[in-house]
Amino acid sequence: MHSNTPELSDSELLAIAARAAKRAPKKPNDLLILTQLQLELYRELHASVGQLVRPPVPAEISPSSSARVRSAIDAILAEEEEMAVFRQMYDHLALAAGDRQVADRMLALSSGQHGPGGSFLKRMLRFAVADAYANTVQMLVVDFLRTADKQTIRAVLAQLAGMEWTLDPDDRHQRMTPPDFVVNDADAEIRRFRELGLIPGDAHPGRSLARSDEATWEVPDQHRIRTWRRRYVEAHRQSLDWARAKAEEYRWERERLAPYGHPDGLEAAVVLQLRQEADRAASARLFQIDDSLGLMALRRVMRRAEKTTTPFDPAHLPTSRGMLFLDTPLALPTGRRIVGYVWGPWSPRAEEGWCIVRPDQFLEPVDPPHDDAPWTWVTALTCDQSLLKLPFSPYETLLARPGDVLDPETRHRDPANPERYLSGSGRQGCQELMLRHVRALWELLTQHKRSTVRVLAHQVHQLKPSKRDAERRRGISDSGQVENWWVDPDAGERYQEQQPRQPREGRTGRTLAVRYWRDEHERQQCPNSHQHAALEAVKPGSCPHYEITIPEHPVGPADAPWSDRLRHARHRPSAPRRTSDT
């Protein structure tokens, strides 16, 4: 039904739940409501649905009761607390499943779930019967909320709340966290963040992330990019609201790479990661990527989709620290839109407790690099969420290490539908696609350093000295220059002019009698042509080759007529129209 929810048989589903139940359980309050607001939203939905389905069931449903249910769901969606409410519902169902008769009724009820949201409801019920590991349920809810539309989420919220009353009509198995404990727990987190130097934001009090799925991405310019970078740095260095939202990601291990094992606890781990991201952005060179360059990078990614990429080389980076924005977002197969990347060198230290979340949701400690070569940390930015005063927010962490090679990207794709990923590989596939995309951009931006084939043009927007001093007082250590890059429209003609006029040794020596356009493509270029044979003789494949992008260019004598047979001449906007040709 949903691309991120695998289709499993009942036997496979029960086997997964049984394995999850054997893991070491987490403490009970890991699945409870965490804030007073979340508790109030859940209680209102629970009470309003109870009026409709709690025995004795009324003969007629009053309009006021239905309106109360709709109002309760509207409040949950407006506050974006669907995750917390689903967690509390699952906790209630898992407690009720301790009664064997209730558990049997849940299994019977799960078999009848069909239609939109039916797969999700079936899994929630069966995981509750098996008392599944908290993280298993967490990821199920995350995938559902990412893929389902608003109407489906509304229907599932109401339906699951009704099941609570059906399975536990006396509400005997409900476990509500005392309000005083919740408030004190939230206050303790705020006090801890304040001690670490964070302050509440003056905008969007108590909220740091807002959904903007329907927002139109505005083409950035040099002034916007500088302002966005400054606010991005300030949010990561100071904002208590953003830190609390980040702590929620940590608490449920939704952050792919984070210092989960930090010795000083959750708040210190959050502040450590935010400060490192702020330092990367504060010292980053700024780039604006034009539509023509963005499309060229995407075509390069598509041509490489069925083959292994070249090893990642830090020499391909246009700068060790950078921040780039795309004029047109990159649309991932999941629907997420990527509008830029922030990157910088990263060398994890053992005492910081860095861990990476593997595809099976287990934490794996990150070992520091042994060769003293720093890795490159890349943060992808999405415009489908906004961060404080910014029209984008961090979305995913990518890690590029020297010598890294990516296998063919098509191995993640569904053969029957290449626009979608195979079940269970959605997140991993998107991570690799973003990494391939940013690597293609890097290689194009630095191609002129490795080859005489230059396909790009750029303009540098300088910042006035007085404004540069003001930026430094705000903690920005970069010069403030913004480089705007695009594909040079004359690159093809220039490349054709650079080609040798005389036929090379070993060719037929025939002269073309027509002109035609050759499509853009890649060429393997050897940087050690005089040593290539010797290196290959010692060890095949030891001579490193660069993949150089050759722009679309005309082939053939300048005075020859354009070829109609190849269908490239008169239909190309860039091809000159010759009135004398027939």
Side-chain angles (χ1 to χ4, degrees), residues 89-298:
M89 288 179 171
Y90 173 79
D91 182 71
H92 185 194
L93 294 173
L95 287 174
D99 186 331
R100 188 67 261 172
Q101 292 183 349
V102 176
D104 292 341
R105 292 178 62 194
M106 282 188 188
L107 290 175
L109 191 61
S110 67
S111 301
Q113 302 304 316
H114 303 288
S119 177
F120 172 76
L121 289 171
K122 177 175 73 173
R123 284 161 171 76
M124 285 286 280
L125 292 171
R126 300 208 169 191
F127 282 152
V129 171
D131 195 15
Y133 190 61
N135 212 31
T136 304
V137 182
Q138 183 76 13
M139 294 310 300
L140 171 66
V141 178
V142 169
D143 287 343
F144 173 71
L145 294 179
R146 284 177 178 173
T147 56
D149 55 68
K150 288 290 182 64
Q151 290 302 112
T152 302
I153 294 175
R154 287 173 178 273
V156 170
L157 279 170
Q159 194 169 352
L160 202 55
M163 290 179 183
E164 289 184 272
W165 286 108
T166 301
L167 297 167
D168 185 16
D170 299 325
D171 216 11
R172 293 185 297 109
H173 301 285
Q174 185 67 270
R175 176 172 58 186
M176 293 286 192
T177 307
D180 293 340
F181 170 82
V182 175
V183 174
N184 292 340
D185 184 60
D187 289 343
E189 184 180 72
I190 292 175
R191 285 196 302 270
R192 177 64 173 147
F193 277 130
R194 285 178 182 269
E195 292 171 359
L196 294 170
L198 302 182
I199 59 176
D202 55 353
H204 306 289
R207 303 293 301 172
S208 61
L209 285 175
R211 290 183 180 174
S212 54
D213 302 39
E214 305 300 327
T216 301
W217 174 248
E218 299 182 5
V219 176
D221 56 33
Q222 54 167 321
H223 305 293
R224 283 178 179 168
I225 289 176
R226 292 194 189 100
T227 302
W228 290 346
R229 191 261 294 275
R230 185 178 70 248
R231 291 177 179 174
Y232 187 81
V233 171
E234 291 172 352
H236 282 77
R237 281 183 175 165
Q238 300 178 359
S239 173
L240 186 148
D241 296 333
W242 174 224
R244 293 189 67 194
K246 200 74 171 177
E248 176 73 6
E249 302 290 314
Y250 273 50
R251 189 171 285 111
W252 300 107
E253 297 176 1
R254 293 198 297 261
E255 189 81 11
R256 177 174 177 265
L257 181 60
Y260 288 111
H262 197 284
D264 295 331
L266 174 68
E267 292 82 8
V270 169
V271 172
L272 170 67
Q273 185 172 1
L274 295 186
R275 293 283 164 82
Q276 290 189 3
E277 181 70 8
D279 292 342
R280 278 187 288 270
S283 57
R285 276 175 56 187
L286 304 177
F287 299 85
Q288 180 184 357
I289 304 301
D290 184 82
D291 281 349
S292 58
L293 176 53
L295 291 173
M296 176 176 280
L298 191 56

Side-chain angles (χ1 to χ4, degrees), residues 258-265 268-269 272 276 346-355 365-368:
Y260 288 111
H262 197 284
D264 295 331
L272 170 67
Q276 290 189 3
W346 183 64
S347 297
R349 294 187 295 179
E351 61 270 19
E352 293 174 347
W354 288 91
C355 297
V366 176
D367 296 327

Side-chain angles (χ1 to χ4, degrees), residues 297-551:
L298 191 56
R299 291 194 297 269
R300 185 180 174 109
V301 170
M302 294 174 64
R303 287 193 293 268
R304 291 178 170 184
E306 297 185 358
K307 61 182 179 179
T308 302
T309 64
T310 54
F312 169 69
D313 187 348
H316 295 169
L317 294 173
T319 177
S320 60
R321 300 171 184 265
M323 187 175 192
L324 65 81
F325 291 93
L326 305 168
D327 283 3
T328 300
L330 167 69
L332 300 179
T334 56
R336 179 76 65 171
R337 296 173 297 168
I338 303 301
V339 296
Y341 301 95
V342 183
W343 71 88
W346 183 64
S347 297
R349 294 187 295 179
E351 61 270 19
E352 293 174 347
W354 288 91
C355 297
I356 189 168
V357 180
R358 302 187 320 193
D360 58 5
Q361 301 306 316
F362 281 100
L363 293 178
E364 178 180 335
V366 176
D367 296 327
H370 301 292
D371 52 2
D372 296 329
W375 300 335
T376 299
W377 176 296
V378 186
T379 302
L381 308 175
T382 176
C383 63
D384 294 327
Q385 285 183 314
S386 58
L387 168 61
L388 298 175
K389 298 179 181 180
L390 295 170
F392 59 85
S393 73
Y395 167 59
E396 188 67 82
T397 299
L398 311 173
L399 197 57
R401 287 167 282 201
D404 272 1
V405 176
L406 295 178
D407 293 331
E409 199 267 339
T410 50
R411 73 191 190 284
H412 291 303
R413 300 287 183 164
D414 186 349
N417 188 358
E419 297 300 319
R420 297 181 62 182
Y421 288 120
L422 293 170
S423 297
S425 66
R427 180 174 181 178
Q428 184 180 0
C430 285
Q431 289 168 354
E432 290 200 7
L433 179 57
M434 288 184 286
L435 188 54
R436 286 170 173 269
H437 181 246
V438 71
R439 282 171 59 168
L441 288 169
W442 290 339
E443 292 166 0
L444 288 170
L445 289 173
T446 58
Q447 176 170 304
H448 63 280
K449 298 179 181 180
R450 302 185 300 277
S451 172
T452 58
V453 181
R454 189 181 182 97
V455 295
L456 304 183
H458 77 290
Q459 180 181 9
V460 179
H461 301 279
Q462 300 282 355
L463 192 63
K464 294 181 179 179
S466 59
K467 292 186 177 181
R468 187 165 60 246
D469 293 340
E471 290 284 79
R472 288 177 178 173
R473 288 193 295 270
R474 297 187 181 105
I476 304 298
S477 57
D478 179 61
S479 63
Q481 295 180 347
V482 179
E483 300 182 19
N484 185 11
W485 288 82
W486 66 92
V487 176
D488 188 348
D490 299 325
E493 297 280 358
R494 187 172 59 248
Y495 173 78
Q496 198 265 352
E497 293 173 358
Q498 292 175 352
Q499 299 309 296
R501 298 295 181 182
Q502 299 298 327
R504 295 179 181 176
E505 183 179 353
R507 296 192 177 183
T508 62
R510 295 178 180 176
T511 302
L512 288 173
V514 295
R515 300 188 78 193
Y516 65 92
W517 283 89
R518 184 171 183 189
D519 291 338
E520 176 185 296
H521 62 281
E522 261 75 53
R523 183 185 74 192
Q524 294 288 332
Q525 178 167 307
C526 178
N528 306 307
S529 56
H530 58 290
Q531 298 179 351
H532 175 82
L535 291 173
E536 290 294 314
V538 175
K539 182 181 179 181
S542 60
C543 183
H545 285 190
Y546 299 134
E547 285 191 347
I548 302 301
T549 295
I550 306 299

